[in-house]
Amino acid sequence: LAAVERSSKESLAGREAEDIYMPAQCASIVAWSLAWLNLRQSKLFAVLGELAAPRLAEFKPYEVTNMLWAFAKLQEWNTQLFSAVAARLRERQKW
């Protein structure tokens, strides 16, 4: 994981989260897999939350729940992601 983190940092250096594309399904699978394996990677979870929050509309419901489960299982906190999910849920209640 250290090599992946180092490689990711090098390839993403100087780029904003909005410029980075990771399909919703991939972000969800990465988070779920790390949690299932009980591998707490706080830096990676911070990036996943930052990437996922503005793109929640692309996520299928099970991908959102898998992502949230992973954050909860590993006790990772991401205000940006959790606030975005809460806002989406409030929007759905308005219909």
Side-chain angles (χ1 to χ4, degrees), residues 1 12-13 16 18-19 27-28 30 47 51 54 59 62 68 70 72-74 78 80 82-83 88 92:
L1 287 174
L12 300 176
E16 297 295 322
E18 296 81 29
D19 298 335
S28 176
V30 169
V47 171
L51 293 172
F59 281 72
Y62 74 89
L68 293 176
K73 171 123 171 74
L74 295 177
N78 189 293
Q80 183 181 3
F82 299 159
S83 296
R88 294 275 304 170
R92 290 186 62 151

Side-chain angles (χ1 to χ4, degrees), residues 58-95:
E58 299 173 21
F59 281 72
K60 294 180 177 108
Y62 74 89
E63 292 168 342
V64 174
T65 58
N66 284 349
M67 174 92 52
L68 293 176
W69 174 82
F71 274 80
K73 171 123 171 74
L74 295 177
Q75 299 178 352
E76 291 289 343
W77 185 259
N78 189 293
T79 302
Q80 183 181 3
L81 175 62
F82 299 159
S83 296
V85 170
R88 294 275 304 170
L89 289 172
R90 283 191 297 273
E91 287 173 15
R92 290 186 62 151
Q93 289 181 345
K94 293 179 183 176
W95 50 269

Side-chain angles (χ1 to χ4, degrees), residues 31-61:
W32 181 89
S33 298
L34 288 170
W36 193 85
L37 294 169
N38 205 31
L39 294 174
R40 189 167 191 204
Q41 297 290 318
S42 294
K43 291 177 185 176
L44 180 54
F45 270 84
V47 171
L48 289 172
E50 186 179 344
L51 293 172
R55 297 189 175 112
L56 283 177
E58 299 173 21
F59 281 72
K60 294 180 177 108

